Amino acid sequence: MSNVINAQHLTLAYDGGAKEIIKDASFTIKKGEFVFITGPSGSGKSTLLKALYGALKPTEGSLVVGGLDLASVGQSKLQELRTHLGIIFQDYKLVNEWSVAKNVVLPLMIAGYSVDVQNTQAQRLLKHVKLSEHADKYPLELSGGEQQRVGVARALSKNPVVILADEPTGNLDDYSSNVIWDLMENACQQLDTTVLVVTHKIPTIFSLPYRHFIIESKGVYEVH
Amino acid sequence: MKFIKNHLMFILPLMAILLGIEFYLVFDRTTNSYEKGLKEGYSMLVVTKKPMKLSMFQALNRHISSSEKIKRENIVSEIAKGVSKNSNKEILAALPYFYNVRLDSYLSTSGLEKIKTDLEKDKNVKKVETFGSSYSSSYRLFSFIKFTLKLFIVFMGVVSLFLIIKQMEIWKYAHKERMQVMEIFGAPLMLRSGVLFRVAIVDAFLATLLTTAIFLYIKFQWAANSGIDIMMQNKTELFKMTDIAILLVSALFIVIIAVYSVVFSSKGVEE
Protein backbone atom coordinates (compact mmCIF):
# COMPACT_ATOMS: atom_id res chain seq x y z
CA MET A 1 0.00 0.00 0.00
CA SER A 2 1.27 3.48 -0.87
CA ASN A 3 1.94 6.20 1.66
CA VAL A 4 -0.75 8.87 1.68
CA ILE A 5 0.92 10.90 4.41
CA ASN A 6 4.66 11.03 4.98
CA ALA A 7 6.23 13.29 7.61
CA GLN A 8 10.01 13.40 7.96
CA HIS A 9 11.71 15.39 10.72
CA LEU A 10 8.65 17.57 10.81
CA THR A 11 8.68 20.69 12.97
CA LEU A 12 5.57 22.84 13.36
CA ALA A 13 5.67 26.21 15.07
CA TYR A 14 3.77 29.48 15.43
CA ASP A 15 5.05 33.05 15.61
CA GLY A 16 7.56 32.57 12.81
CA GLY A 17 9.18 29.55 14.43
CA ALA A 18 9.43 31.02 17.94
CA LYS A 19 6.76 28.79 19.46
CA GLU A 20 7.48 25.16 18.58
CA ILE A 21 4.55 22.77 18.91
CA ILE A 22 5.88 19.64 17.23
CA LYS A 23 9.58 18.95 16.76
CA ASP A 24 11.40 16.46 14.58
CA ALA A 25 8.46 14.09 14.10
CA SER A 26 8.58 11.32 11.51
CA PHE A 27 5.74 8.98 10.60
CA THR A 28 3.96 7.54 7.59
CA ILE A 29 0.30 6.67 7.03
CA LYS A 30 -0.80 4.34 4.26
CA LYS A 31 -3.89 4.38 2.08
CA GLY A 32 -6.95 2.92 3.76
CA GLU A 33 -5.57 3.09 7.30
CA PHE A 34 -7.61 4.32 10.24
CA VAL A 35 -5.48 6.37 12.60
CA PHE A 36 -6.20 7.88 15.99
CA ILE A 37 -4.06 10.71 17.30
CA THR A 38 -4.39 11.37 21.00
CA GLY A 39 -2.58 13.49 23.53
CA PRO A 40 -3.16 15.95 26.33
CA SER A 41 -4.85 19.30 25.69
CA GLY A 42 -2.52 21.75 24.00
CA SER A 43 -0.11 19.04 22.92
CA GLY A 44 -0.44 19.95 19.24
CA LYS A 45 -3.05 17.50 17.90
CA SER A 46 -5.10 20.15 16.13
CA THR A 47 -1.92 21.90 14.97
CA LEU A 48 -0.83 18.69 13.25
CA LEU A 49 -4.24 18.42 11.59
CA LYS A 50 -4.01 22.04 10.41
CA ALA A 51 -0.64 21.27 8.88
CA LEU A 52 -2.13 18.24 7.12
CA TYR A 53 -4.64 20.37 5.26
CA GLY A 54 -2.09 23.07 4.54
CA ALA A 55 -3.23 25.80 6.90
CA LEU A 56 0.13 25.79 8.68
CA LYS A 57 3.41 25.34 6.83
CA PRO A 58 6.12 23.16 8.34
CA THR A 59 8.95 25.19 9.84
CA GLU A 60 11.42 22.37 9.19
CA GLY A 61 11.36 18.94 7.63
CA SER A 62 8.85 17.70 5.12
CA LEU A 63 5.19 16.81 5.21
CA VAL A 64 3.95 15.07 2.08
CA VAL A 65 0.21 14.57 1.64
CA GLY A 66 -1.07 12.89 -1.51
CA GLY A 67 2.34 13.34 -3.13
CA LEU A 68 2.56 17.08 -2.42
CA ASP A 69 5.16 18.48 -0.06
CA LEU A 70 3.20 20.99 2.00
CA ALA A 71 6.41 22.81 2.97
CA SER A 72 6.78 24.14 -0.55
CA VAL A 73 3.45 23.66 -2.31
CA GLY A 74 1.91 26.60 -4.19
CA GLN A 75 -1.57 27.97 -3.58
CA SER A 76 -3.24 26.38 -6.62
CA LYS A 77 -1.81 22.91 -5.89
CA LEU A 78 -2.89 23.28 -2.27
CA GLN A 79 -6.43 24.15 -3.37
CA GLU A 80 -6.43 21.09 -5.62
CA LEU A 81 -5.23 18.89 -2.73
CA ARG A 82 -7.94 20.21 -0.42
CA THR A 83 -10.63 19.14 -2.85
CA HIS A 84 -9.51 15.55 -2.18
CA LEU A 85 -9.69 15.92 1.60
CA GLY A 86 -12.73 15.57 3.82
CA ILE A 87 -12.28 17.72 6.89
CA ILE A 88 -14.42 17.48 10.03
CA PHE A 89 -14.17 20.08 12.80
CA GLN A 90 -15.17 19.96 16.43
CA ASP A 91 -17.00 23.27 15.96
CA TYR A 92 -18.58 21.94 12.70
CA LYS A 93 -17.66 25.01 10.59
CA LEU A 94 -20.95 24.99 8.72
CA VAL A 95 -22.12 28.03 6.77
CA ASN A 96 -25.04 29.20 8.86
CA GLU A 97 -26.77 31.16 6.10
CA TRP A 98 -26.86 28.09 3.83
CA SER A 99 -29.35 25.25 4.09
CA VAL A 100 -28.22 21.88 5.41
CA ALA A 101 -28.37 20.42 1.89
CA LYS A 102 -26.23 23.22 0.46
CA ASN A 103 -23.66 22.77 3.23
CA VAL A 104 -23.42 19.08 2.47
CA VAL A 105 -22.66 19.57 -1.22
CA LEU A 106 -20.10 22.36 -0.79
CA PRO A 107 -17.18 20.18 -2.00
CA LEU A 108 -19.24 19.20 -5.08
CA MET A 109 -20.08 22.84 -5.71
CA ILE A 110 -16.38 23.74 -5.56
CA ALA A 111 -15.57 20.89 -7.94
CA GLY A 112 -18.14 22.24 -10.39
CA TYR A 113 -20.67 19.41 -10.34
CA SER A 114 -24.07 20.16 -11.85
CA VAL A 115 -26.98 21.17 -9.62
CA ASP A 116 -28.73 17.88 -10.41
CA VAL A 117 -25.77 15.85 -9.22
CA GLN A 118 -25.51 18.04 -6.13
CA ASN A 119 -29.19 17.53 -5.28
CA THR A 120 -29.00 13.76 -5.76
CA GLN A 121 -25.88 13.54 -3.62
CA ALA A 122 -27.40 15.75 -0.93
CA GLN A 123 -30.43 13.48 -0.66
CA ARG A 124 -28.27 10.34 -0.54
CA LEU A 125 -25.84 11.71 2.04
CA LEU A 126 -28.51 13.18 4.28
CA LYS A 127 -30.31 9.86 4.25
CA HIS A 128 -27.00 8.25 5.17
CA VAL A 129 -26.56 10.52 8.21
CA LYS A 130 -30.26 10.22 9.09
CA LEU A 131 -31.07 13.86 8.46
CA SER A 132 -33.26 13.64 5.33
CA GLU A 133 -36.08 15.59 6.90
CA HIS A 134 -33.73 18.47 7.79
CA ALA A 135 -32.43 19.18 4.25
CA ASP A 136 -34.04 22.60 3.98
CA LYS A 137 -33.31 23.73 7.52
CA TYR A 138 -30.42 25.95 8.51
CA PRO A 139 -27.56 24.68 10.70
CA LEU A 140 -28.54 26.78 13.72
CA GLU A 141 -31.93 25.05 13.76
CA LEU A 142 -30.22 21.71 14.45
CA SER A 143 -28.72 20.24 17.61
CA GLY A 144 -24.95 19.93 18.01
CA GLY A 145 -25.04 16.23 17.15
CA GLU A 146 -27.10 16.87 14.04
CA GLN A 147 -24.78 19.69 12.94
CA GLN A 148 -21.80 17.39 13.30
CA ARG A 149 -23.54 14.76 11.17
CA VAL A 150 -24.00 17.44 8.51
CA GLY A 151 -20.28 18.13 8.81
CA VAL A 152 -19.50 14.44 8.32
CA ALA A 153 -21.85 14.21 5.33
CA ARG A 154 -20.06 17.21 3.81
CA ALA A 155 -16.67 15.58 4.40
CA LEU A 156 -17.84 12.39 2.68
CA SER A 157 -19.69 14.05 -0.21
CA LYS A 158 -16.89 13.82 -2.76
CA ASN A 159 -15.47 10.45 -1.67
CA PRO A 160 -12.26 12.00 -0.32
CA VAL A 161 -8.90 10.25 -0.36
CA VAL A 162 -8.24 11.32 3.22
CA ILE A 163 -10.61 12.27 6.02
CA LEU A 164 -9.13 14.54 8.68
CA ALA A 165 -11.33 14.81 11.75
CA ASP A 166 -10.65 17.09 14.70
CA GLU A 167 -12.47 15.86 17.82
CA PRO A 168 -15.51 14.86 15.75
CA THR A 169 -17.50 13.51 18.68
CA GLY A 170 -16.42 15.94 21.39
CA ASN A 171 -19.48 17.12 23.34
CA LEU A 172 -21.87 14.90 21.36
CA ASP A 173 -24.44 12.45 22.72
CA ASP A 174 -23.87 8.71 22.34
CA TYR A 175 -26.32 8.32 19.47
CA SER A 176 -24.67 11.01 17.30
CA SER A 177 -21.20 9.75 18.26
CA ASN A 178 -22.06 6.21 17.17
CA VAL A 179 -23.52 7.41 13.86
CA ILE A 180 -20.34 9.39 13.16
CA TRP A 181 -17.98 6.52 14.03
CA ASP A 182 -20.05 4.17 11.84
CA LEU A 183 -19.85 6.56 8.90
CA MET A 184 -16.10 6.93 9.18
CA GLU A 185 -15.58 3.19 9.61
CA ASN A 186 -17.69 2.56 6.51
CA ALA A 187 -15.74 5.10 4.47
CA CYS A 188 -12.47 3.47 5.51
CA GLN A 189 -13.70 -0.08 4.93
CA GLN A 190 -15.77 0.33 1.78
CA LEU A 191 -14.03 3.19 -0.04
CA ASP A 192 -10.48 2.57 1.18
CA THR A 193 -10.38 6.11 2.53
CA THR A 194 -7.58 7.00 4.91
CA VAL A 195 -9.09 8.36 8.13
CA LEU A 196 -7.10 10.37 10.62
CA VAL A 197 -8.93 11.32 13.79
CA VAL A 198 -7.67 13.63 16.48
CA THR A 199 -9.40 12.79 19.75
CA HIS A 200 -9.02 12.83 23.49
CA LYS A 201 -10.30 9.30 23.81
CA ILE A 202 -10.46 6.33 21.46
CA PRO A 203 -14.04 4.95 21.37
CA THR A 204 -14.50 1.81 23.43
CA ILE A 205 -16.52 0.02 20.76
CA PHE A 206 -14.59 0.15 17.51
CA SER A 207 -14.61 -2.73 15.08
CA LEU A 208 -11.81 -1.82 12.65
CA PRO A 209 -8.09 -2.34 13.12
CA TYR A 210 -6.43 1.00 13.68
CA ARG A 211 -3.11 2.69 14.41
CA HIS A 212 -2.66 4.96 17.38
CA PHE A 213 -0.26 7.88 17.63
CA ILE A 214 0.23 9.95 20.72
CA ILE A 215 1.61 13.49 20.78
CA GLU A 216 3.61 14.29 23.85
CA SER A 217 6.43 16.71 24.67
CA LYS A 218 6.45 17.93 21.03
CA GLY A 219 7.02 14.40 19.72
CA VAL A 220 4.71 12.11 17.73
CA TYR A 221 4.98 8.49 18.87
CA GLU A 222 3.16 5.37 17.68
CA VAL A 223 1.58 3.23 20.39
CA HIS A 224 1.88 -0.50 19.62
CA MET B 1 -33.36 46.80 7.43
CA LYS B 2 -29.74 45.81 7.97
CA PHE B 3 -29.65 44.48 4.40
CA ILE B 4 -30.90 47.80 2.99
CA LYS B 5 -28.49 49.75 5.19
CA ASN B 6 -25.55 47.62 4.03
CA HIS B 7 -26.41 48.22 0.41
CA LEU B 8 -27.04 51.94 0.84
CA MET B 9 -23.65 52.29 2.51
CA PHE B 10 -22.20 51.05 -0.75
CA ILE B 11 -24.59 52.59 -3.26
CA LEU B 12 -24.43 56.15 -1.86
CA PRO B 13 -20.65 56.64 -2.13
CA LEU B 14 -20.74 54.98 -5.54
CA MET B 15 -23.50 57.38 -6.57
CA ALA B 16 -21.40 60.28 -5.29
CA ILE B 17 -18.61 59.22 -7.66
CA LEU B 18 -21.03 58.72 -10.55
CA LEU B 19 -22.67 62.10 -9.91
CA GLY B 20 -19.18 63.60 -9.89
CA ILE B 21 -18.36 61.97 -13.22
CA GLU B 22 -21.66 63.06 -14.76
CA PHE B 23 -21.36 66.59 -13.40
CA TYR B 24 -17.90 66.74 -14.89
CA LEU B 25 -19.18 65.55 -18.28
CA VAL B 26 -22.12 67.94 -18.24
CA PHE B 27 -20.03 70.87 -17.04
CA ASP B 28 -17.35 70.14 -19.60
CA ARG B 29 -19.87 69.97 -22.43
CA THR B 30 -21.74 73.08 -21.30
CA THR B 31 -18.62 75.14 -20.76
CA ASN B 32 -17.18 74.02 -24.07
CA SER B 33 -20.30 75.27 -25.77
CA TYR B 34 -20.15 78.50 -23.71
CA GLU B 35 -16.47 78.90 -24.57
CA LYS B 36 -17.31 78.44 -28.22
CA GLY B 37 -19.84 81.22 -27.94
CA LEU B 38 -17.32 83.52 -26.27
CA LYS B 39 -14.68 82.68 -28.80
CA GLU B 40 -17.00 83.34 -31.72
CA GLY B 41 -18.21 86.58 -30.22
CA TYR B 42 -14.68 87.85 -29.71
CA SER B 43 -12.57 89.49 -32.40
CA MET B 44 -9.53 91.76 -32.65
CA LEU B 45 -9.32 94.81 -34.83
CA VAL B 46 -6.16 94.94 -36.91
CA VAL B 47 -5.19 98.01 -38.96
CA THR B 48 -2.69 97.45 -41.79
CA LYS B 49 -0.96 99.61 -44.37
CA LYS B 50 -1.43 97.09 -47.18
CA PRO B 51 -4.05 94.38 -47.72
CA MET B 52 -3.30 91.13 -45.91
CA LYS B 53 -4.52 87.58 -46.46
CA LEU B 54 -5.47 85.09 -43.74
CA SER B 55 -2.33 83.05 -44.39
CA MET B 56 -0.24 86.14 -43.68
CA PHE B 57 -1.97 86.63 -40.32
CA GLN B 58 -1.60 82.95 -39.50
CA ALA B 59 2.08 83.11 -40.32
CA LEU B 60 2.39 85.69 -37.58
CA ASN B 61 0.36 83.75 -35.00
CA ARG B 62 -1.16 80.24 -35.30
CA HIS B 63 -4.17 81.04 -33.05
CA ILE B 64 -5.73 83.22 -35.74
CA SER B 65 -8.52 81.28 -37.35
CA SER B 66 -10.17 83.80 -39.65
CA SER B 67 -9.87 87.35 -40.88
CA GLU B 68 -12.61 89.52 -42.29
CA LYS B 69 -11.86 92.63 -44.21
CA ILE B 70 -13.98 95.65 -43.20
CA LYS B 71 -15.16 97.53 -46.25
CA ARG B 72 -13.38 100.88 -46.32
CA GLU B 73 -15.99 102.36 -48.62
CA ASN B 74 -18.56 102.20 -45.81
CA ILE B 75 -16.18 104.01 -43.49
CA VAL B 76 -15.47 106.70 -46.05
CA SER B 77 -19.15 107.20 -46.78
CA GLU B 78 -19.76 107.70 -43.08
CA ILE B 79 -16.92 110.16 -42.45
CA ALA B 80 -17.01 112.03 -45.75
CA LYS B 81 -20.62 112.89 -46.35
CA GLY B 82 -21.07 115.73 -48.82
CA VAL B 83 -17.51 115.47 -50.11
CA SER B 84 -16.84 115.30 -53.86
CA LYS B 85 -16.15 111.99 -55.60
CA ASN B 86 -12.52 112.94 -56.26
CA SER B 87 -11.95 113.83 -52.63
CA ASN B 88 -13.65 110.58 -51.70
CA LYS B 89 -11.10 108.66 -53.77
CA GLU B 90 -8.22 110.51 -52.12
CA ILE B 91 -9.55 109.72 -48.65
CA LEU B 92 -10.00 106.11 -49.66
CA ALA B 93 -6.43 105.93 -50.94
CA ALA B 94 -5.11 107.45 -47.72
CA LEU B 95 -7.10 105.13 -45.44
CA PRO B 96 -5.40 102.03 -44.03
CA TYR B 97 -7.00 98.55 -44.22
CA PHE B 98 -9.17 97.22 -41.36
CA TYR B 99 -9.60 93.57 -40.41
CA ASN B 100 -11.74 91.67 -37.92
CA VAL B 101 -9.53 88.84 -36.76
CA ARG B 102 -10.98 85.81 -34.90
CA LEU B 103 -9.18 83.22 -32.80
CA ASP B 104 -9.28 79.41 -32.76
CA SER B 105 -9.60 79.07 -28.97
CA TYR B 106 -10.51 80.82 -25.77
CA LEU B 107 -7.26 82.45 -24.62
CA SER B 108 -6.04 84.16 -21.48
CA THR B 109 -5.07 87.86 -21.40
CA SER B 110 -1.41 86.96 -21.75
CA GLY B 111 -2.35 84.84 -24.78
CA LEU B 112 -4.08 87.83 -26.31
CA GLU B 113 -1.09 90.07 -25.56
CA LYS B 114 1.18 87.58 -27.27
CA ILE B 115 -0.96 87.68 -30.41
CA LYS B 116 -0.94 91.45 -30.34
CA THR B 117 2.86 91.54 -30.02
CA ASP B 118 3.27 88.96 -32.81
CA LEU B 119 1.05 90.96 -35.16
CA GLU B 120 2.76 94.25 -34.36
CA LYS B 121 6.13 92.73 -35.28
CA ASP B 122 5.02 92.97 -38.91
CA LYS B 123 5.88 96.39 -40.32
CA ASN B 124 2.74 96.32 -42.40
CA VAL B 125 0.58 96.24 -39.24
CA LYS B 126 -0.16 99.71 -37.95
CA LYS B 127 -2.33 98.94 -34.94
CA VAL B 128 -3.91 96.02 -33.12
CA GLU B 129 -6.87 96.59 -30.85
CA THR B 130 -7.89 93.90 -28.33
CA PHE B 131 -10.80 94.04 -25.90
CA GLY B 132 -8.89 92.42 -23.09
CA SER B 133 -10.36 93.75 -19.85
CA SER B 134 -13.97 92.50 -19.98
CA TYR B 135 -12.77 89.38 -21.70
CA SER B 136 -10.16 88.78 -18.99
CA SER B 137 -12.51 89.07 -16.02
CA SER B 138 -15.04 86.61 -17.45
CA TYR B 139 -12.24 84.27 -18.50
CA ARG B 140 -10.71 84.27 -15.00
CA LEU B 141 -14.05 83.65 -13.33
CA PHE B 142 -14.74 80.88 -15.75
CA SER B 143 -11.35 79.23 -15.20
CA PHE B 144 -11.75 79.49 -11.44
CA ILE B 145 -15.17 77.81 -11.46
CA LYS B 146 -13.86 75.05 -13.70
CA PHE B 147 -10.84 74.44 -11.52
CA THR B 148 -12.74 74.39 -8.21
CA LEU B 149 -15.39 72.07 -9.60
CA LYS B 150 -12.79 69.64 -10.90
CA LEU B 151 -10.96 69.78 -7.57
CA PHE B 152 -14.19 69.12 -5.69
CA ILE B 153 -15.09 66.20 -7.95
CA VAL B 154 -11.66 64.60 -7.50
CA PHE B 155 -11.80 65.09 -3.72
CA MET B 156 -15.32 63.67 -3.54
CA GLY B 157 -14.26 60.73 -5.70
CA VAL B 158 -11.31 59.86 -3.47
CA VAL B 159 -13.38 60.08 -0.26
CA SER B 160 -16.15 58.00 -1.82
CA LEU B 161 -13.68 55.37 -3.01
CA PHE B 162 -12.38 54.99 0.54
CA LEU B 163 -15.96 54.62 1.80
CA ILE B 164 -16.60 51.93 -0.80
CA ILE B 165 -13.47 49.99 0.19
CA LYS B 166 -14.45 50.33 3.87
CA GLN B 167 -17.90 48.95 3.14
CA MET B 168 -16.35 46.14 1.15
CA GLU B 169 -14.24 45.23 4.18
CA ILE B 170 -17.40 45.12 6.29
CA TRP B 171 -18.97 42.78 3.75
CA LYS B 172 -15.87 40.66 3.71
CA TYR B 173 -16.04 40.40 7.49
CA ALA B 174 -19.73 39.46 7.25
CA HIS B 175 -18.91 36.72 4.74
CA LYS B 176 -15.68 35.69 6.47
CA GLU B 177 -17.09 32.47 7.88
CA ARG B 178 -18.37 31.32 4.51
CA MET B 179 -15.16 32.29 2.71
CA GLN B 180 -13.09 30.54 5.36
CA VAL B 181 -15.05 27.29 5.04
CA MET B 182 -14.87 27.46 1.25
CA GLU B 183 -11.12 28.04 1.39
CA ILE B 184 -10.62 25.02 3.64
CA PHE B 185 -12.43 22.86 1.11
CA GLY B 186 -10.25 24.15 -1.71
CA ALA B 187 -12.40 26.83 -3.34
CA PRO B 188 -10.30 29.16 -5.51
CA LEU B 189 -10.18 32.85 -4.63
CA MET B 190 -12.65 33.89 -7.32
CA LEU B 191 -15.25 31.36 -6.23
CA ARG B 192 -15.10 32.23 -2.54
CA SER B 193 -15.12 35.96 -3.30
CA GLY B 194 -17.96 35.46 -5.77
CA VAL B 195 -20.56 36.72 -3.34
CA LEU B 196 -18.69 40.04 -2.96
CA PHE B 197 -18.49 40.46 -6.73
CA ARG B 198 -22.17 39.62 -7.18
CA VAL B 199 -23.36 42.08 -4.53
CA ALA B 200 -21.01 44.79 -5.76
CA ILE B 201 -22.08 44.38 -9.40
CA VAL B 202 -25.78 44.49 -8.49
CA ASP B 203 -25.13 47.66 -6.49
CA ALA B 204 -23.17 49.15 -9.40
CA PHE B 205 -26.24 48.68 -11.61
CA LEU B 206 -28.52 50.21 -8.96
CA ALA B 207 -26.23 53.22 -8.46
CA THR B 208 -26.10 53.78 -12.24
CA LEU B 209 -29.88 53.56 -12.46
CA LEU B 210 -30.41 56.08 -9.65
CA THR B 211 -27.83 58.50 -11.03
CA THR B 212 -29.43 58.28 -14.46
CA ALA B 213 -32.85 58.98 -12.94
CA ILE B 214 -31.48 62.07 -11.16
CA PHE B 215 -29.98 63.46 -14.36
CA LEU B 216 -33.05 62.73 -16.44
CA TYR B 217 -35.07 64.65 -13.87
CA ILE B 218 -32.56 67.54 -14.01
CA LYS B 219 -32.66 67.53 -17.81
CA PHE B 220 -36.38 67.31 -18.41
CA GLN B 221 -37.83 68.97 -15.32
CA TRP B 222 -35.41 71.19 -13.53
CA ALA B 223 -33.28 72.59 -16.38
CA ALA B 224 -36.26 73.14 -18.65
CA ASN B 225 -37.98 75.31 -16.02
CA SER B 226 -34.89 76.75 -14.36
CA GLY B 227 -34.92 80.09 -16.20
CA ILE B 228 -31.10 79.84 -16.42
CA ASP B 229 -30.15 80.67 -20.02
CA ILE B 230 -27.06 78.53 -20.21
CA MET B 231 -29.02 75.53 -18.87
CA MET B 232 -32.00 76.03 -21.14
CA GLN B 233 -29.88 76.68 -24.24
CA ASN B 234 -27.67 73.67 -23.60
CA LYS B 235 -30.37 71.26 -22.45
CA THR B 236 -29.26 68.63 -24.95
CA GLU B 237 -25.79 68.67 -23.43
CA LEU B 238 -27.11 67.97 -19.95
CA PHE B 239 -27.53 64.24 -20.17
CA LYS B 240 -26.90 62.11 -23.22
CA MET B 241 -27.99 58.51 -23.50
CA THR B 242 -24.36 57.51 -24.08
CA ASP B 243 -23.67 58.77 -20.56
CA ILE B 244 -25.53 55.75 -19.18
CA ALA B 245 -22.88 53.50 -20.72
CA ILE B 246 -20.10 55.74 -19.39
CA LEU B 247 -21.61 55.66 -15.87
CA LEU B 248 -22.18 51.90 -15.93
CA VAL B 249 -18.66 51.13 -17.13
CA SER B 250 -17.23 53.52 -14.51
CA ALA B 251 -19.37 51.98 -11.73
CA LEU B 252 -18.35 48.44 -12.69
CA PHE B 253 -14.71 49.45 -12.95
CA ILE B 254 -14.80 51.07 -9.49
CA VAL B 255 -16.53 48.15 -7.76
CA ILE B 256 -14.27 45.56 -9.37
CA ILE B 257 -11.18 47.52 -8.29
CA ALA B 258 -12.65 47.84 -4.78
CA VAL B 259 -13.45 44.11 -4.51
CA TYR B 260 -10.03 43.14 -5.82
CA SER B 261 -8.27 45.52 -3.44
CA VAL B 262 -10.10 44.00 -0.47
CA VAL B 263 -9.81 40.37 -1.56
CA PHE B 264 -6.13 40.51 -2.48
CA SER B 265 -5.09 42.65 0.48
CA SER B 266 -5.81 39.78 2.87
CA LYS B 267 -3.98 36.51 3.37
CA GLY B 268 -5.64 33.13 3.79
CA VAL B 269 -8.45 33.46 6.26
CA GLU B 270 -8.10 30.24 8.16
CA GLU B 271 -4.62 30.71 9.55
Side-chain angles (χ1 to χ4, degrees), chain A residues 9 35 66 99 101 111 128 140 150 158 198 208:
Chain A
H9 306 291
V35 178
S99 70
H128 214 50
L140 295 178
V150 175
K158 212 176 140 260
V198 161
L208 282 184

Side-chain angles (χ1 to χ4, degrees), chain A residues 55 82 87 93 96-97 154, chain B residues 178 183-185 270-271:
Chain A
R82 285 175 177 177
I87 308 166
K93 288 211 190 304
N96 292 328
E97 61 265 35
R154 179 181 62 187
Chain B
R178 181 194 312 199
E183 184 175 0
I184 290 169
F185 282 89
E270 87 271 32
E271 284 178 36

Side-chain angles (χ1 to χ4, degrees), chain B residues 194-252:
Chain B
V195 63
L196 293 183
F197 278 102
R198 274 196 298 278
V199 175
I201 287 169
V202 167
D203 284 0
F205 274 95
L206 284 174
T208 305
L209 200 71
L210 291 170
T211 310
T212 302
I214 289 172
F215 270 88
L216 288 177
Y217 173 80
I218 290 175
K219 181 175 182 170
F220 292 111
Q221 290 293 316
W222 185 80
N225 306 314
S226 64
I228 303 169
D229 284 348
I230 192 168
M231 286 285 183
M232 292 166 82
Q233 285 160 9
N234 296 297
K235 211 181 88 176
T236 51
E237 306 290 325
L238 269 180
F239 190 86
K240 292 183 173 177
M241 286 304 148
T242 50
D243 289 2
I244 298 174
I246 294 172
L247 292 179
L248 185 61
V249 169
S250 308
L252 290 172

Side-chain angles (χ1 to χ4, degrees), chain A residues 160-182:
Chain A
V161 178
V162 181
I163 291 177
L164 302 171
D166 189 3
E167 304 274 10
T169 57
N171 310 323
L172 296 191
D173 58 83
D174 287 347
Y175 174 77
S176 290
S177 297
N178 290 336
V179 170
I180 286 162
W181 290 125
D182 280 349

Side-chain angles (χ1 to χ4, degrees), chain B residues 1 6 11 37 42 55-56 72 86 93 167 188 199 212 221 241:
Chain B
M1 196 65 196
N6 276 343
I11 289 172
Y42 182 84
S55 57
M56 294 162 85
R72 296 189 306 163
N86 280 346
Q167 184 58 32
V199 175
T212 302
Q221 290 293 316
M241 286 304 148

